[in-house]
Structures are given as structure tokens and as C-alpha cells.
Amino acid sequence: MGRSRNSGRGQAAADAVVERVDGGTARLVPDRERPRAWTLLIDDAPQSHVDLDDPAYLSFGYQRRLGHVVDTVAPAGRPLQAVHLGGGAFTLARYVAATRPRSTQQVVERDAKLVQLVRRELPPDPRSRIRVRSVDAREGLAKVPDGWAGLVVADVFSGARTPAHLTSTEFLDDVRRALGPGGVYAANLADGPPLAHLRGQIATAAARFAELALIADPAVLRGKRFGNAVLVASDAPLPVAELTRRAAGDPHPGRVQHGPELRDFTGGATPVTDLAAVASPAPPASVFR
């Protein structure tokens, strides 16, 4: 596949790019409001938004929340060593590179054709220190040296679902191994009523980390609709007050749960192991309409 012309606008802004990648049909769609910004969709499911002129701009709500995590892990300007499981259009890695120059980052994205598409059409700043591995997320994580990372981000979806082997205590054991003292793990989770997957993921993280927080739209937390939630975990105290302030100031305000409130939210869910793990639920078709 190739480019499909959207007439009536300048070519640089008007052309969408459509290609088959390993995970389905990828579409890079220009943003009508921002001249050099694009949205990546895989099989019509929105994955990432990138503004080449302003990589510090985060459009999607869950990406803004992950950006808040970055901002509380390391002060602006201080280099960060980060691992991104799931590449998409490298949105968060670009954000880290733009706001924390000299950061060293590893992006693990299994879909090699998607990586080629993004590098060709949306090339990262050549000065950014972003290394990309086109392997499975757990395989790539296993190659990260012990204690190397200050931040590990999991944002992996296959067919709009998180693969089962990235939902278990064994997976989080390797995340902890890769994190240095005080390091932070952040995961983009997607679920809808009755929120069984989300509750199970909180219980799983609680079995491996001392401190947890969850950032999500209040309607998602109440089980009113399908949506994203960002789980944050560490063995060090989390900046809950600052995360709460930042999430509340978003265009679509988010709520932060932690402590006893978050434990109660799990509703008695038990940790997930490799033997019992299943992929996250598929979103309803109405989500993409």
C-alpha cells in the first residue's frame, strides 16, 4: 500500500500514509490542527500521536498521563535511562528526548515493518539517543542490564489487546530486575466493565511493588465505559500529590487512586501468573466510531 491523497490541502499536510505492517494495516493520518503532526492507527485503532515540530506535545489522554509520570520521575533537563515496551510512533521516547536531552532510551517494538514506517515517515531527531529493538517485549526486556533503567513503560497492544505474557508476576519480576533503586514502572492498561482485567493487574503489581497509583478517567474507574488507565508502581514512595495535581489539570481531567482506596478497588482480585494469564479484553467497536 502507499499514500492516499486528501485533496484540497498542501501535499505535506494532506497525504495520509497507509501500509501493511506485521500487526495489521497502519495508517498515518495528518492532524488538521497542527501542520507536522500525525496520528498512527493500526486496523483503525488509534495508537499514537506525534508532532514533529513539538515532540513535547502529548495529545492522547493516556500519553499525557505517562508524560506526568516522566515529569515526576526525573526533573526537566535531567537525563533519564528509560525502556519503552511497545514503540508505536515513539511518542513518549520523543517526549523524553525533547524534555531531558542526553537521555538514553531503549524502545522494544516487535513489529519491524512498523518501525521502518515510523523511521521513514516520522524520523526522530538524529540527536536523540533512542535505540530500537524489533523483538518481543519480554525478549527485549531480558536484554536490559540489571538495574539499568530509571523508568520502564509498558504500552504494548496486539490487535488492541495487551498480550497475556505481559500481564503476569513473572513479567513484573523482570521489570523489577531492570529497574534501578527508586525506579518506576508505568503501564498503559485498557479495560471496560466489569474491570476484571484492570483489578487483576493492580493485584499483580501489588504482589511485586510496595507503592502503587492508578490514573484514569473517573468514568472508567466507575466501570461506566471502556478506556485507558495508567498504572504506576515503584518500591519508593510515589509523588501522588503531584500526579493528582497534574492529572486534574488535563483537558480531560483524570483521577488518581492509591493506598487503601486502590486496594479496595481491586475487589479481592488475585495476582496473575504466566500459567493463568490471558490477553486484555478487546475494546467494543463503538470505541473507534
Side-chain angles (χ1 to χ4, degrees):
M1 298 186 184
R3 296 179 182 270
S4 60
R5 182 63 55 84
N6 181 3
S7 61
R9 305 177 64 215
Q11 180 174 342
D15 287 347
V17 181
V18 183
E19 285 193 14
R20 285 291 299 179
V21 296
D22 296 332
T25 299
R27 296 175 63 223
L28 289 173
V29 180
D31 186 330
R32 295 179 180 274
E33 304 297 326
R34 304 177 75 90
R36 297 186 70 228
W38 301 79
T39 298
L40 168 67
L41 302 94
I42 305 290
D43 289 340
D44 295 324
Q47 302 288 324
S48 303
H49 180 279
V50 169
D51 188 331
L52 297 178
D53 288 334
D54 184 9
Y57 174 77
L58 300 175
S59 175
F60 290 1
Y62 85 87
Q63 290 181 334
R64 288 181 62 86
R65 289 163 187 163
L66 288 171
H68 298 330
V69 175
V70 171
D71 291 340
T72 56
V73 168
R78 192 176 81 185
L80 179 65
Q81 293 186 170
V83 177
H84 305 267
L85 304 178
F90 312 160
T91 302
L92 200 65
R94 297 173 198 261
Y95 178 83
V96 171
T99 59
R100 288 152 182 83
R102 302 182 308 283
S103 291
T104 304
Q105 303 183 78
Q106 297 186 32
V107 173
V108 182
E109 171 54 63
R110 182 174 185 172
D111 194 327
K113 291 182 180 178
L114 176 61
V115 170
Q116 293 171 4
L117 171 65
V118 170
R119 280 178 159 164
R120 185 184 74 238
E121 300 293 338
L122 309 176
D125 187 325
R127 295 168 296 180
S128 62
R129 301 167 65 181
I130 301 173
R131 180 182 181 184
V132 183
R133 295 178 183 269
S134 295
V135 297
D136 175 77
R138 270 179 77 162
E139 181 181 346
L141 180 63
K143 297 181 183 299
V144 176
D146 293 1
W148 181 84
L151 174 68
V152 173
V153 177
D155 185 13
V156 183
F157 288 86
S158 176
R161 305 176 70 184
T162 301
H165 68 299
L166 304 181
T167 67
S168 67
T169 52
E170 291 89 343
F171 165 65
L172 290 185
D173 285 337
D174 213 20
V175 170
R176 287 198 63 190
R177 177 199 58 76
L179 286 171
V184 172
Y185 170 65
N188 176 32
L189 307 174
D191 199 8
L195 299 178
H197 173 73
L198 183 58
R199 299 181 203 277
Q201 287 304 285
I202 296 167
T204 303
R208 292 297 183 266
F209 290 96
E211 301 288 337
L212 301 180
L214 186 72
I215 315 171
D217 185 299
V220 173
L221 293 174
R222 292 195 299 267
K224 298 296 186 181
R225 67 173 181 84
F226 193 98
N228 296 84
V230 171
L231 177 63
V232 189
S234 179
D235 285 331
L238 294 170
V240 173
E242 182 64 13
L243 287 172
T244 300
R245 183 187 70 80
R246 290 172 180 265
D250 281 341
H252 299 284
R255 180 181 172 190
V256 176
Q257 288 191 339
H258 70 288
E261 182 184 30
L262 186 55
R263 288 194 293 272
D264 291 345
F265 179 80
T266 63
T270 57
V272 176
T273 65
D274 275 345
L275 288 176
V278 296
S280 67
S286 59
V287 170
F288 306 130
R289 290 174 186 164

